[in-house]
Amino acid sequence: MAAAGEPIIEFRGIRRTYGSGEAEVRALDGVDLTIRRGEFVAIMGPSGSGKSTAMNIIGFLDRPTTGTYLFEGKDVSALNRDQRALIRRHYLGFVFQGFNLLARTSALENVELPLIYKGLGRAERSALAAEALAKVGLQGREHHDPSELSGGQQQRVAIARALAGDPVVILADEPTGNLDTTRSREIMELLVRLNREDGITIVMVTHEEDMAAHAGRLVTFIDGRVASDRAMPAREAAQ
Amino acid sequence: MIWETVRLALQAILRNALRSFLTVLGVVIGVAAVIAMVTIGQGSSDQVTASVESLGTNVLILRPGRAMMGPGVRDDAPEFRLADAEAMSTLSVVAAAAPVASSTLTAVYGNANATTLVTGTGASYLDVLNWPVVRGRSFADAEERSGAAVCLIGETVRQKLFGNTDPTGEAIRLKSVSCEVVGLLQAKGASTFGQDQDDTIIVPIRMLQRRVTGTTDVSSIRVALAPGVTTARGIREIEALMRERRRIGIGEDDDFSVTDMAEISSMLTGINNVLAGLLSAVAAVSLLVGGIGIMNIMLVSVTERTREIGIRLAVGAQARQVMMQFLIEAVVLSLIGGLIGILLGLALAYVAAQLMAIPFAPSLPVVLLAFIFSAFVGVVFGYFPARSAARLDPIEALRYQ
């Protein structure tokens, strides 16, 4: 494990193109970006700016066309599908705008999902999942189905799922996009707490300034490039 | 991990129990049909073997007329005579030769009557057929020679005329002849062709010829070969004797036929096997259709669960694991179908066996084969949907609405 403050995600001249020839679309056009352990980075940008593509590459769901991606200092640009699945399994946690919980499956079993693929036994899974649910303030709701939970609670289950696998980085893709202001603030406070207390690096895509204000750093994408990259004012001030 | 996957598969199947059941219906029907067919086929073939054995082993039947005559077709071949049977029983290859003539008559006892087949023959007939008298006695030589008015009755006739009382010593009336019942034959059950063999009365052949039919014709001769004599040799010697007795010149065809019971038995078994084969082929087609049904629903299920697959991929499932999940789901599904089919098929076969009065003969190898085959159907028809699930792109899958 690298020490706090070391680069954990490094993009060097990352390009991602779709199609070829005349129809070629450059979603990312030479991106250099370094994210250090323990950071809370917000990514903003208009639609089509490449922020989602960048998130997919950071999250090992996609691969750069050219350029180098260093993860914990190792070149991971050319990993195949299964190798990328292993990185997701052991290092990453995902939180989505639409929660993406399994329907008709209890909160506990949803949170256990990544642990199944980690190969943990039932008892251990169930204990870790319950712990993660307690951490997001959902103790007592372990056996509720997603349909019996509010939007804010569902997103907490999703965060618990991301947390259960003991990730190095949590990737949040518009985590408050489907929530009202109060629930949104609660979710953001939860993410901030995980970042501060557990030292989990968080990368979050958002299009709301208010949400980005919770982060320590704001990266803005325009036309497939990093347009601005600045530290945010102290978060205490934002609250 | 594998048990985990099986558990997951069961969960997914039970989550949509009705649809799962409809999905496997094809396999259920296919397996049930195969199991029922094979079990019923085995039962009736056991029945054939048993009833052919009850006709006596190493037994030949001689009939006048050329072999391969269709029903209703007659030629002018002369009937046999009693002397033919007597001559035949002097051959060293023959243990017993019984002349047979028969007539359908109504037997009357008090107020009861029974219309039945009356067979005129001798005590040797019972030896040839291995048919013991359970109460009373068989015919005495003197009774046979003189054509005395005595008879042996089968169990069915006894039930009709006497109920459960002892019939021996009673007199029944056959046409105008009063006839003393001297013995009761052991119950034999239905024959290969479904006739009730116990619905019969046996009288000395001379009695039938003189007092009932008024002829000296013998319609067939049943021959039991001596122990150790091969059927081929027996037939050869009997044919030679009969050709001489019936004055058939060299080069002329026989005007009588010799049928070997083993031949009839193997013919019937053959028919049985062909039928079972045909029905099994139909059942196999039904299994194939069942498999396609599973593939269909699994493909729909993959599409429906695209988002779930996306989530699983995002949290670190490898393509292989997603593939295994869907493959095992298909296998578990078709195994459940196979299991239901096996139980249903055995139940059907049991009911059919009761109705057809044949033995219920379930076969463990066939049941195991059906079970393995339904797993095989799951693998074959689950493979394509599972592969398409494993090939999904996680980004696309997560975006799927």
Side-chain angles (χ1 to χ4, degrees):
Chain A
M1 288 282 267
E6 282 188 1
I8 185 163
I9 292 162
E10 278 185 271
F11 274 21
R12 290 186 190 158
I14 294 282
R15 254 174 237 274
R16 179 70 172 95
T17 57
Y18 298 100
S20 58
E22 289 288 308
E24 188 183 87
V25 177
R26 291 189 174 184
L28 289 181
D29 190 9
V31 173
D32 294 301
L33 179 68
T34 301
I35 295 172
R36 293 172 187 282
R37 184 175 299 276
E39 276 193 296
F40 188 154
V41 179
I43 297 179
M44 294 190 76
S47 55
S49 62
K51 60 182 194 301
S52 293
T53 308
M55 274 299 263
N56 287 339
I57 293 176
I58 293 173
F60 290 87
L61 293 170
D62 197 2
R63 243 184 343 189
T65 311
T66 59
T68 307
Y69 177 12
L70 299 175
F71 187 82
E72 291 200 325
K74 287 184 279 291
D75 187 353
V76 292
S77 327
L79 295 185
N80 66 24
R81 236 188 114 143
D82 281 345
Q83 291 168 323
R84 280 184 274 134
L86 289 178
I87 300 242
R88 291 197 295 274
R89 184 186 299 177
H90 293 288
Y91 294 91
L92 305 183
F94 288 89
V95 179
F96 305 95
Q97 177 177 0
F99 319 139
N100 275 339
L101 299 177
L102 296 185
R104 284 171 292 184
T105 304
S106 72
L108 193 73
E109 285 176 309
N110 263 293
V111 177
E112 281 184 25
L113 194 62
L115 305 177
I116 291 177
Y117 293 109
K118 278 194 155 185
L120 302 186
R122 266 180 104 166
E124 199 179 350
R125 281 202 318 256
S126 163
L128 283 174
E131 198 182 305
L133 280 170
K135 202 161 194 169
V136 299
L138 283 180
Q139 56 271 67
R141 307 286 166 123
E142 288 86 349
H143 300 290
H144 286 55
D145 268 17
S147 60
E148 298 166 336
L149 298 171
S150 71
Q153 287 171 328
Q154 289 187 50
Q155 194 59 300
R156 282 167 192 273
V157 174
I159 292 173
R161 181 178 65 196
L163 210 52
D166 191 21
V168 177
V169 180
I170 286 182
L171 297 167
D173 191 354
E174 304 213 25
T176 60
N178 286 6
L179 301 175
D180 63 39
T181 323
T182 318
R183 295 312 138 226
S184 295
R185 206 170 58 234
E186 284 169 13
I187 292 295
M188 289 315 299
E189 280 162 10
L190 177 57
L191 289 177
V192 168
R193 187 157 58 82
L194 295 176
N195 173 243
R196 286 223 187 128
E197 293 175 8
D198 299 284
I200 298 171
T201 308
I202 296 181
V203 183
M204 174 182 77
V205 166
T206 182
H207 57 262
E208 293 168 274
E209 292 278 359
D210 293 357
M211 300 304 133
H214 289 82
R217 176 180 166 195
L218 175 64
V219 177
T220 310
F221 277 75
I222 291 175
D223 291 338
R225 292 168 195 270
V226 175
S228 78
D229 184 350
R230 61 194 167 87
M232 297 291 277
R235 276 175 284 196
E236 282 77 6
Q239 289 167 14
Chain B
M1 194 65 206
I2 187 93
W3 287 115
E4 203 56 60
T5 321
V6 170
R7 203 174 60 84
L8 270 173
L10 277 173
Q11 265 176 13
I13 288 163
L14 292 177
R15 210 171 278 160
N16 216 329
L18 177 65
R19 191 174 76 179
S20 302
F21 177 71
L22 293 175
T23 305
V24 299
L25 205 53
V27 170
V28 170
I29 292 170
V31 169
V34 170
I35 293 284
M37 284 312 129
V38 174
T39 309
I40 294 169
Q42 187 59 48
S44 70
S45 138
D46 287 358
Q47 166 85 352
V48 167
T49 311
S51 67
V52 166
E53 270 166 14
S54 80
L55 291 174
T57 47
N58 222 8
V59 168
L60 304 176
I61 299 176
L62 275 80
R63 287 196 178 84
R66 292 185 173 80
M68 309 307 287
M69 294 275 294
V73 182
R74 291 195 59 85
D75 58 14
D76 50 2
E79 299 285 335
F80 295 135
R81 301 287 160 215
L82 283 178
D84 292 328
E86 276 158 24
M88 217 172 287
S89 54
T90 62
L91 287 177
S92 65
V93 295
V94 171
V100 176
S102 59
S103 183
T104 299
L105 298 172
T106 301
V108 180
Y109 174 76
N111 290 328
N113 63 75
T115 301
T116 186
L117 183 76
V118 178
T119 302
T121 183
S124 56
Y125 182 71
L126 301 180
D127 299 336
V128 172
L129 297 192
N130 251 325
W131 200 354
V133 172
V134 288
R135 196 174 293 179
R137 59 175 178 83
S138 185
F139 303 136
D141 284 349
E143 287 168 340
E144 282 187 36
R145 271 196 304 276
S146 65
V150 291
C151 63
L152 301 168
I153 63 174
E155 181 61 32
T156 305
V157 172
R158 174 211 183 184
Q159 290 297 331
K160 283 185 188 164
L161 298 181
F162 302 98
N164 280 320
T165 61
D166 184 356
T168 56
E170 303 293 332
I172 59 174
R173 196 158 47 77
L174 286 174
K175 233 176 168 181
S176 57
V177 187
S178 178
C179 191
E180 186 197 347
V181 178
V182 293
L184 175 68
L185 295 162
Q186 189 182 59
K188 261 194 146 175
S191 77
T192 317
F193 306 101
Q195 291 162 299
D196 180 1
Q197 299 177 98
D198 299 322
D199 190 3
T200 194
I201 296 178
I202 295 176
V203 299
I205 189 163
R206 283 199 166 90
M207 181 277 201
L208 187 80
Q209 288 174 337
R210 260 180 232 157
R211 307 216 199 172
V212 179
T213 62
T215 67
T216 56
D217 294 346
V218 169
S219 58
S220 69
I221 300 175
R222 301 236 175 184
V223 181
L225 294 175
V229 175
T230 64
T231 311
R233 185 176 149 220
I235 291 175
R236 206 165 53 236
E237 298 207 7
I238 288 166
E239 278 180 347
L241 174 76
M242 290 309 290
R243 285 176 72 89
E244 190 189 314
R245 288 185 65 82
R246 292 164 80 89
R247 302 181 205 295
I248 298 168
I250 292 161
E252 279 181 66
D253 285 341
D254 291 350
D255 65 354
F256 60 93
S257 69
V258 183
T259 316
D260 161 18
M261 291 315 293
E263 209 173 280
I264 294 180
S265 152
S266 71
M267 184 186 76
L268 289 172
T269 311
I271 291 172
N272 246 326
N273 288 346
V274 168
L275 273 180
L278 275 175
L279 292 169
S280 299
V282 172
V285 169
S286 146
L287 263 183
L288 182 75
V289 173
I292 293 170
I294 287 190
M295 178 158 70
N296 236 319
I297 299 293
M298 289 303 293
L299 278 172
V300 171
S301 167
V302 167
T303 311
E304 262 183 10
R305 287 157 70 188
T306 297
R307 199 183 256 271
E308 174 192 330
I309 295 165
I311 296 166
R312 290 182 184 276
L313 290 170
V315 302
Q318 289 177 325
R320 189 170 43 86
Q321 290 169 316
V322 171
M323 168 128 181
M324 278 310 278
Q325 187 195 336
F326 278 83
L327 201 54
I328 285 179
E329 208 170 301
V331 171
V332 169
L333 203 57
S334 57
L335 276 182
I336 291 174
L339 219 53
I340 297 174
I342 287 168
L343 294 178
L344 195 67
L346 288 177
L348 274 175
Y350 182 76
V351 171
Q354 298 300 311
L355 291 177
M356 294 161 67
I358 58 170
F360 174 60
S363 143
L364 185 65
V366 170
V367 166
L368 285 178
L369 199 70
F371 193 69
I372 291 166
F373 191 76
S374 46
F376 179 72
V377 165
V379 171
V380 168
F381 292 100
Y383 178 77
F384 181 63
R387 200 186 56 168
S388 56
R391 283 187 177 177
L392 284 177
D393 173 39
I395 300 169
E396 296 292 329
L398 283 169
R399 220 180 272 153
Y400 186 85
Q401 289 303 320

